Amino acid sequence: MSVVQIFPRAEEPAVQVLPVNPAAGPEASTVSPERLAGMPAAADPLPASEPYPLDRAFHAMLARFTGGISPLALSLAWLDWGSHLAAAPQRQMEISRNILRDTGRLAEAVVHAASPEQKPWSVIQPQGRDRRFSGPQWEAAPFNLLAQAFLLGERWWHDATTGVRGVSHANEAIVEFSMRQTLDMLAPSNFAATNPKVLEKAFQSGGENFVFGWQNWCSDLMRLLSNSRLADDAQFVVGKTVAASPGKVVYRNELIELIQYSPTTAQVRPEPILIVPAWIMKYYILDLSPRNSLVKYLTGQGFTVFAISWRNADARDRDLAFDDYRRLGVMAALDMIGRVMPCRKTHALGYCLGGTLLSIAAAAMERDGDNRFGTVTLLAAQTDFTEAGELTLFINESQVAFLEDMMWQRGYLDTTQMAGAFQLLRSNELIWSRLSHDYLMGEGAPLNDLMAWNADATRLPYRMHSEYLRKLFLDNDLAGGRYHVGGRSISLSDIHAPMFVVGTLADHVAPWRSVYKIHYQVDADVTFLLTSGGHNAGVVAPPEDPGHSYQVLTKAEDAPYVGADEWLKLAPHVEGSWWPEWTNWLAARSGAPCEPPQIGIGDSPGLPDAPGDYVHT
């Protein structure tokens, strides 16, 4: 109990140091009535105060030099690790013994390097997914010894940055991750003089590879400076070669265009499918080239498909709330589908962040007695963020505050920050391997439709992204039953519609064990499918493509819970794409085929054909 009496300060007139938009943050009111005229009411407005504008401006300026990473969060993590390691003499002795042991083994390998009995990778070898040192060139001395020395250093630093008693789990992960990024940059495969493949290519081509590499670098630099996109390549044109499924925009508001795709079969299932994509990227990840378009596949299986195309946000949308995406997105689309196809249940599909939003909408609808969803499908979508993978390294109070200040100045999160965070999660594959392949080897990677889509990034409104990071990632309100819709809390346990949930085995954005937690959150039949591949390539898995496999198992609503590791042992393996498995599941929960519905409702003149206008913004 404090013995000091705190006296309130006298009120003083506020001195405005910088001009501040009174509606410029998560605390600000939502979109102006003029912009949303004729639409559902906006989210509850928040206080219009914007504290400490000078501090926020300083942080925004600092973010330009740090790539959006909070230097304070990084410094505190290293301080936590360093101070605890300094107070752990036995741990220091163990680390020192490891250095001496590994150095001795490497020295012995160096002494016997010329011996025919000396095998490559005799001290340490790369992990299974590490392709930096693949190929016979890396098995010859001295490059093999150099690679082993680097791998030993990597392992030593991993041991040194983990397992120190007293260091918080979050700070330990940050230190280990940041050290790994530094080591990835210093790998011998990233330098021409220490990469035998590059040297071999240089001798064979007379150094032409460096000329081609320079040209590749200049091309990338010009694309960066001109702000052009890979999606602008003539090979992948939105509406012609990608996002090319025929259809029409049947509804538009300030946030979405709703596309209804043309039927390709004489009869269709009576229940439509609504696709809710993430707005972090453009919607057409599920309508890429005709050969791997999920939309085309679904219409070919006799389903009527609707898809939301989100408008790319700009500075005017800084006050769009997360709930605006539910109301103006999912609910507005569902209302329109009800006008086109009245009295029909809807099969809803949500992908990534769109799946998280869909689960929130489904829970709120069930709470309010709205049972328009016949089934709910979630693709690589998290509803509990306690184990959200390495993305959580960028989500703590210091980092979120830093991101908010960076977005506060612009009104949105720029595409480069989001893309940079995802690239860091797989820096070996997405950054350094490309440096070696494109700039040192001089071999430009052939562009594909998935790469073109991945480069077609979007901006995220300030208030929406702040609420998403705080309420879902940082505070985990949805899983904790603290998330509010319409001023009242919702619970995922209210969802009773059958669910089909897809996780991907190598997902670095939504780890499958995190996705799996839906099993103990909802009171519904859950069919969980784990497919090979990553966050994007695992979902885009057309039946014609080889190499796909999956495991699938259904848990009835009243069946006992099975843990993720147990599930791995129980679920049968199936070779091939998961798409037929899902469409068969949908067909079993749909009515008999009937005549296709009309396209739209006939009272929306001036709306374009698919893929619409918003996809080009």
Side-chain angles (χ1 to χ4, degrees):
M1 180 177 179
S2 175
V3 296
V4 180
Q5 184 177 2
I6 306 295
F7 292 95
R9 293 187 176 88
E11 291 295 330
E12 296 179 1
V15 179
Q16 186 171 347
V17 182
L18 289 178
V20 179
N21 183 349
E27 305 82 26
S29 60
T30 189
V31 183
S32 64
E34 292 80 5
R35 293 202 65 202
L36 297 182
M39 300 178 192
D44 296 336
L46 297 173
S49 61
E50 195 64 71
Y52 309 115
L54 280 176
D55 294 350
R56 308 193 87 171
F58 173 72
H59 295 158
M61 178 191 67
L62 189 61
R64 298 179 182 178
F65 300 98
T66 65
I69 302 296
S70 168
L72 291 177
L74 201 61
S75 301
L76 289 172
W78 278 94
L79 180 62
D80 186 12
W81 170 78
S83 57
H84 280 90
L85 182 60
Q90 186 174 353
R91 187 77 173 91
Q92 296 175 39
M93 291 173 60
E94 181 184 23
I95 293 172
S96 301
R97 283 198 304 268
N98 291 340
I99 294 176
L100 294 174
R101 184 192 64 230
D102 291 344
T103 303
R105 293 176 62 193
L106 183 64
E108 185 178 356
V110 171
V111 170
H112 298 92
S115 171
E117 298 180 358
Q118 182 71 20
K119 302 292 185 181
W121 311 115
S122 60
V123 181
I124 188 173
Q125 59 183 2
Q127 298 290 328
R129 297 184 61 187
D130 190 349
R131 302 178 183 176
R132 292 173 295 180
F133 309 115
S134 61
Q137 297 92 336
W138 283 103
E139 295 181 358
F143 302 105
N144 183 257
L145 296 171
L146 186 62
Q148 290 189 82
F150 173 78
L151 291 173
L152 286 173
E154 239 184 5
R155 186 175 68 181
W156 181 85
W157 272 108
H158 173 77
D159 292 342
T161 53
T162 57
V164 179
R165 284 177 56 82
V167 181
S168 75
H169 177 74
N171 285 337
E172 178 184 271
I174 291 174
V175 169
E176 193 275 334
F177 178 80
S178 57
M179 194 66 230
R180 178 155 36 97
Q181 298 305 311
T182 303
L183 292 172
D184 286 346
M185 180 176 60
L186 299 175
S189 55
N190 297 336
F191 303 93
T194 54
N195 189 326
K197 291 184 177 180
V198 175
L199 294 175
E200 182 180 77
K201 186 70 177 288
F203 282 120
Q204 291 175 351
S205 66
E208 277 189 344
N209 57 306
F210 296 122
V211 177
F212 294 145
W214 172 255
Q215 293 174 348
N216 291 337
W217 185 84
C218 290
S219 297
D220 288 345
L221 179 63
M222 293 302 296
R223 182 182 290 115
L224 180 66
L225 294 177
S226 63
N227 203 29
S228 62
R229 305 175 303 182
L230 288 174
D232 296 329
D233 190 283
Q235 185 181 356
F236 300 105
V237 179
V238 174
K240 295 183 179 179
T241 54
V242 294
S245 294
K248 182 173 179 58
V249 174
V250 296
Y251 173 78
R252 174 192 285 164
N253 62 28
E254 279 289 302
L255 193 57
I256 71 165
E257 287 180 334
L258 181 66
I259 301 170
Q260 181 181 358
Y261 290 96
S262 303
T264 58
T265 55
Q267 291 188 315
V268 299
R269 298 285 179 176
E271 296 83 4
I273 295 176
L274 170 62
I275 296 177
V276 183
W279 52 93
I280 290 177
M281 302 293 289
K282 298 294 178 67
Y283 86 93
Y284 62 91
I285 177 64
L286 299 180
D287 185 29
L288 287 171
S289 304
R291 69 169 186 83
N292 59 3
S293 167
L294 180 60
V295 168
K296 183 176 183 296
Y297 179 78
L298 288 172
T299 56
Q301 297 297 309
F303 290 98
T304 300
V305 180
F306 292 82
I308 291 175
S309 174
W310 303 99
R311 186 175 63 82
N312 196 6
D314 55 32
R316 298 172 301 166
D317 304 302
R318 64 180 302 129
D319 301 317
L320 272 175
F322 192 89
D323 195 58
D324 290 328
Y325 279 77
R326 181 191 64 87
R327 294 178 306 98
L328 302 178
V330 178
M331 303 312 296
L334 202 56
D335 291 342
M336 184 61 192
I337 292 173
R339 297 174 65 190
V340 177
M341 303 176 68
C343 304
R344 307 281 180 88
K345 294 277 190 177
T346 298
H347 297 306
L349 177 151
Y351 183 19
C352 186
L353 179 55
T356 305
L357 178 70
L358 177 60
S359 66
I360 292 172
M365 290 169 63
E366 292 277 9
R367 180 199 66 186
D368 299 335
D370 185 344
N371 59 357
R372 284 180 285 175
F373 284 153
T375 66
V376 175
T377 297
L378 304 181
L379 307 182
Q382 299 177 94
T383 51
D384 185 314
F385 292 83
T386 53
E387 295 179 346
E390 288 189 330
L391 272 179
T392 55
L393 298 172
F394 301 96
I395 311 298
N396 54 46
E397 185 61 45
S398 175
Q399 182 62 50
V400 169
F402 196 73
L403 278 174
E404 286 175 341
D405 293 347
M406 181 177 64
M407 294 186 294
W408 166 77
Q409 190 175 58
R410 291 179 173 175
Y412 57 83
L413 183 68
D414 196 7
T415 59
T416 54
Q417 271 78 34
M418 183 62 67
F422 287 142
Q423 285 183 330
L424 283 176
L425 298 181
R426 298 169 59 201
S427 60
N428 273 338
E429 300 173 41
L430 301 180
I431 300 177
W432 305 116
S433 65
R434 186 187 173 195
L435 180 148
S436 175
H437 184 271
D438 290 10
Y439 304 154
L440 300 183
M441 300 289 286
E443 300 173 356
L447 186 64
N448 59 43
D449 49 11
L450 195 58
M451 291 171 60
W453 166 84
N454 192 61
D456 197 4
T458 57
R459 298 173 293 272
L460 304 179
Y462 168 42
R463 178 176 172 183
M464 182 284 302
H465 197 51
S466 176
E467 291 177 346
Y468 169 60
L469 293 177
R470 287 193 175 276
K471 293 182 179 180
L472 296 176
F473 258 99
L474 196 60
D475 299 333
N476 207 22
D477 285 349
L478 180 59
R482 298 180 299 273
Y483 194 89
H484 287 75
V485 172
R488 293 187 294 149
S489 59
I490 62 168
S491 172
L492 295 176
S493 62
D494 289 336
I495 299 177
H496 301 295
M499 300 190 72
F500 193 97
V501 181
V502 176
T504 60
L505 192 60
D507 201 325
H508 62 287
V509 178
W512 77 266
R513 282 182 170 81
S514 181
V515 174
Y516 186 85
K517 292 183 177 183
I518 193 72
H519 278 87
Y520 56 77
Q521 293 178 304
V522 300
D523 288 332
D525 293 346
V526 177
T527 298
F528 187 80
L529 184 144
L530 179 62
T531 182
S532 57
H535 189 72
N536 297 324
V539 170
V540 182
E544 295 77 15
D545 283 3
H548 297 294
S549 63
Y550 63 89
Q551 294 176 258
V552 63
L553 202 62
T554 297
K555 174 191 172 297
E557 178 181 349
D558 56 354
Y561 172 73
V562 176
D565 294 329
E566 272 184 282
W567 186 94
L568 272 181
K569 300 174 184 177
L570 294 173
H573 285 262
V574 182
E575 294 297 325
S577 167
W578 64 270
W579 289 6
E581 183 81 33
W582 177 53
T583 52
N584 291 337
W585 183 87
L586 286 177
R589 290 156 180 81
S590 302
C594 58
E595 292 297 314
Q598 63 177 342
I599 301 294
I601 54 176
D603 62 351
S604 52
L607 292 179
D609 292 335
D613 295 333
Y614 283 0
V615 73
H616 298 291
T617 58

